[in-house]
Amino acid sequence: YGLANLAARLGGGALAGTLAPADGLRTAALILVVPLAGVIALSWRLTPEPPGGRAPTPPRIMLREMGALVRSRQLLLVAAFLFCFTYNPGLQTPLYFHLTGDLGFGQNFIGTLGAAAASGSIVGVLACRALAKRLRLRTMFYVCVVLGVAATLANFALVDRPLAVVVYFVTGVASVFALVMAGTLAAEVSPGGQEGLCFAAMMSIENAASIASDASGSYMFDAVFHRRFAPLIVVSAAFTAGSALLIWLLPERAGDREGAAIRPAAPPGT
Protein backbone atom coordinates (compact mmCIF):
# COMPACT_ATOMS: atom_id res chain seq x y z
CA TYR A 1 0.00 0.00 0.00
CA GLY A 2 2.79 2.40 0.88
CA LEU A 3 4.69 1.68 -2.34
CA ALA A 4 1.53 2.20 -4.40
CA ASN A 5 0.86 5.47 -2.60
CA LEU A 6 4.45 6.57 -3.24
CA ALA A 7 4.13 5.90 -6.98
CA ALA A 8 0.75 7.62 -7.12
CA ARG A 9 2.08 10.76 -5.41
CA LEU A 10 5.05 11.02 -7.73
CA GLY A 11 2.89 10.40 -10.81
CA GLY A 12 0.21 12.85 -9.72
CA GLY A 13 2.76 15.53 -8.99
CA ALA A 14 4.38 15.02 -12.39
CA LEU A 15 1.02 15.29 -14.18
CA ALA A 16 0.03 18.41 -12.23
CA GLY A 17 3.40 20.01 -12.87
CA THR A 18 3.57 19.40 -16.62
CA LEU A 19 -0.04 19.49 -17.88
CA ALA A 20 -2.90 21.94 -17.64
CA PRO A 21 -5.35 21.04 -14.84
CA ALA A 22 -8.05 19.64 -17.14
CA ASP A 23 -5.55 17.68 -19.23
CA GLY A 24 -3.83 16.31 -16.13
CA LEU A 25 -7.16 15.16 -14.71
CA ARG A 26 -8.15 13.39 -17.92
CA THR A 27 -4.75 11.72 -18.19
CA ALA A 28 -4.88 10.53 -14.58
CA ALA A 29 -8.36 9.09 -15.14
CA LEU A 30 -7.15 7.14 -18.18
CA ILE A 31 -4.13 5.82 -16.30
CA LEU A 32 -6.36 4.66 -13.43
CA VAL A 33 -8.20 2.30 -15.76
CA VAL A 34 -5.17 -0.03 -15.80
CA PRO A 35 -4.83 -0.71 -12.04
CA LEU A 36 -8.60 -0.88 -11.62
CA ALA A 37 -8.78 -3.54 -14.32
CA GLY A 38 -6.00 -5.35 -12.48
CA VAL A 39 -8.05 -5.26 -9.26
CA ILE A 40 -10.98 -6.90 -11.06
CA ALA A 41 -8.76 -9.62 -12.53
CA LEU A 42 -6.96 -10.34 -9.26
CA SER A 43 -10.20 -10.43 -7.28
CA TRP A 44 -11.55 -13.02 -9.71
CA ARG A 45 -8.42 -15.16 -9.38
CA LEU A 46 -7.75 -14.81 -5.64
CA THR A 47 -11.26 -15.39 -4.28
CA PRO A 48 -12.28 -18.91 -5.35
CA GLU A 49 -15.85 -19.86 -4.54
CA PRO A 50 -16.92 -23.36 -3.48
CA PRO A 51 -18.91 -25.43 -5.98
CA GLY A 52 -22.45 -24.14 -6.21
CA GLY A 53 -21.50 -20.73 -4.83
CA ARG A 54 -21.57 -19.42 -1.28
CA ALA A 55 -24.81 -18.85 0.56
CA PRO A 56 -25.27 -15.16 1.43
CA THR A 57 -25.27 -14.18 5.08
CA PRO A 58 -28.84 -13.49 6.25
CA PRO A 59 -29.44 -9.80 7.09
CA ARG A 60 -30.45 -10.61 10.67
CA ILE A 61 -27.09 -12.28 11.30
CA MET A 62 -25.22 -9.34 9.79
CA LEU A 63 -27.18 -6.92 11.98
CA ARG A 64 -26.49 -9.08 15.03
CA GLU A 65 -22.75 -9.06 14.32
CA MET A 66 -22.69 -5.30 13.80
CA GLY A 67 -24.69 -4.81 16.98
CA ALA A 68 -22.12 -6.84 18.92
CA LEU A 69 -19.40 -4.48 17.71
CA VAL A 70 -21.36 -1.38 18.68
CA ARG A 71 -22.02 -2.77 22.17
CA SER A 72 -18.37 -3.65 22.78
CA ARG A 73 -17.00 -1.11 25.27
CA GLN A 74 -13.41 -2.04 24.41
CA LEU A 75 -13.91 -1.44 20.69
CA LEU A 76 -15.69 1.85 21.34
CA LEU A 77 -12.71 3.05 23.39
CA VAL A 78 -10.29 2.12 20.61
CA ALA A 79 -12.50 3.92 18.09
CA ALA A 80 -12.71 6.99 20.35
CA PHE A 81 -8.93 7.18 20.63
CA LEU A 82 -8.44 6.86 16.87
CA PHE A 83 -11.04 9.56 16.21
CA CYS A 84 -9.54 11.95 18.79
CA PHE A 85 -6.00 11.35 17.53
CA THR A 86 -7.00 11.96 13.91
CA TYR A 87 -9.46 14.77 14.55
CA ASN A 88 -7.73 18.06 15.15
CA PRO A 89 -7.99 21.37 13.30
CA GLY A 90 -6.31 19.82 10.28
CA LEU A 91 -3.48 21.25 8.28
CA GLN A 92 -4.15 19.59 4.91
CA THR A 93 -5.83 22.39 2.95
CA PRO A 94 -4.18 25.30 4.84
CA LEU A 95 -0.84 23.55 4.36
CA TYR A 96 -1.40 23.44 0.60
CA PHE A 97 -1.99 27.21 0.53
CA HIS A 98 1.12 27.71 2.69
CA LEU A 99 3.27 25.57 0.40
CA THR A 100 2.09 27.16 -2.84
CA GLY A 101 1.47 30.74 -1.70
CA ASP A 102 4.03 31.45 1.03
CA LEU A 103 6.82 29.07 0.00
CA GLY A 104 6.23 29.03 -3.76
CA PHE A 105 6.49 25.26 -4.18
CA GLY A 106 5.34 23.87 -7.53
CA GLN A 107 2.89 21.03 -8.06
CA ASN A 108 5.63 18.60 -9.05
CA PHE A 109 7.53 19.15 -5.82
CA ILE A 110 4.31 18.84 -3.78
CA GLY A 111 3.91 15.41 -5.36
CA THR A 112 7.46 14.62 -4.21
CA LEU A 113 6.47 15.65 -0.68
CA GLY A 114 3.54 13.23 -0.83
CA ALA A 115 5.97 10.50 -1.89
CA ALA A 116 8.15 11.35 1.12
CA ALA A 117 5.12 10.92 3.39
CA ALA A 118 4.37 7.55 1.74
CA SER A 119 7.97 6.48 2.36
CA GLY A 120 7.58 7.50 5.98
CA SER A 121 4.46 5.35 6.29
CA ILE A 122 6.45 2.30 5.14
CA VAL A 123 9.12 3.00 7.75
CA GLY A 124 6.38 3.60 10.33
CA VAL A 125 4.90 0.15 9.79
CA LEU A 126 8.32 -1.48 10.20
CA ALA A 127 9.01 0.59 13.33
CA CYS A 128 5.62 -0.45 14.76
CA ARG A 129 6.50 -4.09 14.26
CA ALA A 130 9.90 -3.73 15.92
CA LEU A 131 8.68 -1.71 18.92
CA ALA A 132 5.61 -3.87 19.51
CA LYS A 133 7.90 -6.79 20.39
CA ARG A 134 9.60 -4.79 23.13
CA LEU A 135 7.04 -2.39 24.59
CA ARG A 136 3.66 -2.70 26.25
CA LEU A 137 0.78 -1.76 24.02
CA ARG A 138 -0.22 1.27 26.08
CA THR A 139 3.38 2.51 25.93
CA MET A 140 3.17 2.15 22.17
CA PHE A 141 0.11 4.42 22.11
CA TYR A 142 1.98 7.07 24.12
CA VAL A 143 4.83 6.83 21.60
CA CYS A 144 2.21 7.29 18.89
CA VAL A 145 0.94 10.52 20.48
CA VAL A 146 4.47 11.88 20.95
CA LEU A 147 5.21 11.20 17.29
CA GLY A 148 1.96 12.88 16.25
CA VAL A 149 2.70 16.02 18.26
CA ALA A 150 6.30 16.13 16.99
CA ALA A 151 5.15 15.73 13.39
CA THR A 152 2.66 18.58 13.78
CA LEU A 153 5.14 20.93 15.42
CA ALA A 154 7.68 20.04 12.72
CA ASN A 155 5.61 22.16 10.34
CA PHE A 156 7.33 25.19 11.88
CA ALA A 157 10.45 23.96 10.04
CA LEU A 158 8.80 24.32 6.63
CA VAL A 159 11.15 26.98 5.32
CA ASP A 160 12.85 25.32 2.33
CA ARG A 161 12.67 22.20 0.19
CA PRO A 162 15.08 19.86 2.04
CA LEU A 163 13.40 20.54 5.38
CA ALA A 164 9.98 20.10 3.80
CA VAL A 165 10.94 16.58 2.66
CA VAL A 166 12.05 15.72 6.21
CA VAL A 167 8.84 17.12 7.72
CA TYR A 168 6.64 15.11 5.35
CA PHE A 169 8.63 11.95 6.00
CA VAL A 170 8.16 12.31 9.78
CA THR A 171 4.47 13.03 9.25
CA GLY A 172 4.14 9.81 7.26
CA VAL A 173 5.73 7.81 10.07
CA ALA A 174 3.41 9.31 12.69
CA SER A 175 0.20 9.02 10.69
CA VAL A 176 0.50 5.29 10.03
CA PHE A 177 1.51 4.56 13.63
CA ALA A 178 -1.94 5.42 15.03
CA LEU A 179 -3.83 3.43 12.40
CA VAL A 180 -1.66 0.32 12.80
CA MET A 181 -1.84 0.38 16.60
CA ALA A 182 -5.60 1.00 16.70
CA GLY A 183 -6.21 -1.70 14.09
CA THR A 184 -4.02 -4.17 15.99
CA LEU A 185 -5.81 -3.58 19.29
CA ALA A 186 -9.24 -3.66 17.65
CA ALA A 187 -8.45 -7.03 16.06
CA GLU A 188 -7.33 -8.45 19.42
CA VAL A 189 -10.47 -7.43 21.31
CA SER A 190 -12.99 -7.99 18.51
CA PRO A 191 -15.49 -10.85 18.67
CA GLY A 192 -14.23 -13.99 16.95
CA GLY A 193 -14.46 -13.96 13.18
CA GLN A 194 -15.13 -10.22 12.92
CA GLU A 195 -11.58 -8.90 12.69
CA GLY A 196 -12.07 -7.79 9.07
CA LEU A 197 -15.22 -5.88 9.95
CA CYS A 198 -13.43 -4.23 12.88
CA PHE A 199 -10.55 -3.09 10.69
CA ALA A 200 -12.99 -1.69 8.12
CA ALA A 201 -14.75 0.19 10.92
CA MET A 202 -11.43 1.64 12.14
CA MET A 203 -10.60 2.80 8.61
CA SER A 204 -14.03 4.43 8.28
CA ILE A 205 -13.59 6.25 11.59
CA GLU A 206 -10.13 7.44 10.58
CA ASN A 207 -11.47 8.72 7.25
CA ALA A 208 -14.42 10.50 8.88
CA ALA A 209 -12.16 12.14 11.44
CA SER A 210 -9.74 13.22 8.73
CA ILE A 211 -12.54 14.90 6.73
CA ALA A 212 -13.86 16.68 9.83
CA SER A 213 -10.31 17.67 10.74
CA ASP A 214 -9.63 19.26 7.36
CA ALA A 215 -12.97 21.09 7.33
CA SER A 216 -12.53 22.57 10.81
CA GLY A 217 -8.87 23.42 10.20
CA SER A 218 -9.71 25.20 6.95
CA TYR A 219 -12.42 27.22 8.69
CA MET A 220 -10.12 28.23 11.54
CA PHE A 221 -7.30 29.11 9.13
CA ASP A 222 -9.57 31.43 7.18
CA ALA A 223 -12.04 32.82 9.72
CA VAL A 224 -10.25 32.64 13.08
CA PHE A 225 -6.53 32.99 12.37
CA HIS A 226 -6.93 35.15 9.23
CA ARG A 227 -4.67 32.90 7.10
CA ARG A 228 -1.86 32.76 9.67
CA PHE A 229 -0.42 29.26 9.65
CA ALA A 230 1.54 29.23 12.93
CA PRO A 231 -1.45 29.44 15.36
CA LEU A 232 -3.14 26.56 13.56
CA ILE A 233 -0.05 24.39 14.09
CA VAL A 234 -0.17 25.03 17.84
CA VAL A 235 -3.90 24.26 18.11
CA SER A 236 -3.53 21.09 16.04
CA ALA A 237 -0.64 19.85 18.19
CA ALA A 238 -2.65 20.54 21.36
CA PHE A 239 -5.61 18.49 20.07
CA THR A 240 -3.28 15.61 19.20
CA ALA A 241 -1.69 15.71 22.65
CA GLY A 242 -5.17 15.65 24.24
CA SER A 243 -5.81 12.18 22.82
CA ALA A 244 -3.27 10.84 25.35
CA LEU A 245 -5.94 11.29 28.04
CA LEU A 246 -7.80 8.28 26.60
CA ILE A 247 -4.86 5.87 26.56
CA TRP A 248 -5.23 4.67 30.14
CA LEU A 249 -8.79 3.60 29.32
CA LEU A 250 -7.72 1.37 26.43
CA PRO A 251 -7.80 -2.42 26.94
CA GLU A 252 -4.51 -4.23 27.45
CA ARG A 253 -3.09 -7.18 25.57
CA ALA A 254 -3.17 -10.53 27.35
CA GLY A 255 0.63 -10.63 27.42
CA ASP A 256 0.80 -7.14 28.96
CA ARG A 257 -1.67 -8.11 31.69
CA GLU A 258 0.47 -11.12 32.57
CA GLY A 259 3.44 -8.82 33.04
CA ALA A 260 5.54 -9.83 30.03
CA ALA A 261 4.79 -10.40 26.39
CA ILE A 262 7.68 -12.88 26.09
CA ARG A 263 8.52 -15.27 28.92
CA PRO A 264 11.63 -17.46 29.29
CA ALA A 265 11.24 -21.11 28.40
CA ALA A 266 10.69 -23.51 31.30
CA PRO A 267 13.62 -25.81 32.26
CA PRO A 268 13.41 -29.39 30.96
CA GLY A 269 11.40 -31.73 33.15
CA THR A 270 9.23 -29.00 34.78
Side-chain angles (χ1 to χ4, degrees):
Y1 175 81
L3 290 173
N5 195 19
L6 189 154
R9 298 285 186 167
L10 288 175
L15 289 176
T18 56
L19 299 176
D23 294 336
L25 182 60
R26 281 193 293 267
T27 304
L30 291 173
I31 293 173
L32 279 174
V33 172
V34 177
L36 290 177
V39 169
I40 295 173
L42 288 173
S43 298
W44 184 268
R45 292 280 299 174
L46 298 178
T47 54
E49 296 287 349
R54 180 177 299 171
T57 303
R60 59 184 178 83
I61 296 181
M62 294 178 61
L63 291 174
R64 185 188 309 161
E65 292 177 349
M66 294 178 66
L69 295 182
V70 173
R71 291 191 299 270
S72 173
R73 179 177 178 273
Q74 293 179 320
L75 283 175
L76 290 177
L77 287 172
V78 176
F81 169 81
L82 183 60
F83 184 90
C84 292
F85 180 86
T86 306
Y87 173 76
N88 45 59
L91 305 176
Q92 296 95 319
T93 300
L95 182 58
Y96 177 79
F97 282 98
H98 179 64
L99 294 177
T100 55
D102 299 335
L103 300 179
F105 291 166
Q107 303 300 320
N108 205 336
F109 182 69
I110 291 177
T112 302
L113 293 179
S119 302
S121 68
I122 298 172
V123 174
V125 170
L126 298 176
C128 255
R129 178 180 174 83
L131 291 176
K133 296 179 180 179
R134 296 171 173 81
L135 300 176
R136 293 167 63 95
L137 195 61
R138 286 186 179 175
T139 304
M140 289 284 292
F141 276 101
Y142 284 113
V143 172
C144 172
V145 172
V146 170
L147 283 175
V149 173
T152 302
L153 294 178
N155 285 285
F156 281 114
L158 282 172
V159 294
D160 56 25
R161 295 192 174 209
L163 284 174
V165 172
V166 174
V167 169
Y168 266 74
F169 181 85
V170 173
T171 301
V173 174
S175 62
V176 78
F177 228 83
L179 184 59
V180 170
M181 295 309 304
T184 299
L185 185 55
E188 290 188 2
V189 301
S190 66
Q194 299 187 40
E195 292 83 0
L197 181 58
C198 285
F199 183 77
M202 294 300 116
M203 288 291 293
S204 299
I205 290 169
E206 196 268 345
N207 288 334
S210 180
I211 293 171
S213 169
D214 191 32
S216 60
S218 300
Y219 172 80
M220 294 182 69
F221 177 70
D222 198 30
V224 178
F225 299 129
H226 307 293
R227 295 186 173 256
R228 289 178 298 154
F229 192 55
L232 187 61
I233 295 176
V234 175
V235 172
S236 182
F239 269 74
T240 301
S243 64
L245 299 176
L246 291 175
I247 294 178
W248 69 277
L249 295 173
L250 295 176
E252 291 186 290
R253 287 185 300 194
D256 293 341
R257 288 194 299 269
E258 293 167 3
I262 302 176
R263 296 181 177 275
T270 60

